[in-house]
Amino acid sequence: MTSNCCGGSRVDSGDAGVRRTYGFVLEYFRRFGNAPSPAEVSVKLQCGEDDAKANLRALEHMGALRLDTSSDAILDAYPYSAVPTRHIVRFEGGCGTGHNGGVGQYGGV
């Protein structure tokens, strides 16, 4: 994983499914203000739920997001969080989730 110009992160995985999963998670957070479930990831990316969970665990291993250990629910994916924090994320101008190279490659939310 590497940093982009905005202080965010970009997934450097050779696995297209992992990159598409990360892009979907970030775009989902941006649009809806919460994380998608593994089932929603599975439906959107047209893969089995076990594959979606494996992609999410691979992203967690890279440090791109954190999962709840008991449910595989997404807790956060920088800069977004599914649990309340004292931070507010705003994107203005040309920098944001679209800059990471993954968003938009899965067909949108």
Side-chain angles (χ1 to χ4, degrees), residues 12-13 20 28 42 60 78 91 95 100 106:
D12 289 328
S13 172
R20 291 179 63 226
Y28 194 97
S42 170
E60 181 176 45
Y78 182 85
F91 290 109
C95 200
N100 75 6
Y106 59 87

Side-chain angles (χ1 to χ4, degrees), residues 20 39-49 51-52 106:
R20 291 179 63 226
E40 289 169 312
V41 172
S42 170
V43 168
K44 182 60 185 181
L45 300 182
Q46 299 176 345
C47 64
E49 193 166 342
D51 290 335
Y106 59 87

Side-chain angles (χ1 to χ4, degrees), residues 28-97:
Y28 194 97
F29 259 119
R30 185 191 69 78
R31 289 194 62 200
F32 300 109
N34 61 313
S37 68
E40 289 169 312
V41 172
S42 170
V43 168
K44 182 60 185 181
L45 300 182
Q46 299 176 345
C47 64
E49 193 166 342
D50 288 341
D51 290 335
K53 287 180 180 181
N55 288 344
L56 292 170
R57 286 198 272 315
L59 288 164
E60 181 176 45
H61 182 73
M62 287 182 234
L65 53 76
R66 284 187 319 127
L67 300 173
D68 180 279
T69 56
S70 64
S71 68
D72 285 328
I74 300 167
L75 298 175
D76 61 53
Y78 182 85
Y80 303 106
S81 176
V83 294
T85 69
R86 60 186 174 102
H87 304 284
I88 297 173
V89 176
R90 290 192 182 102
F91 290 109
E92 296 179 22
C95 200
T97 55

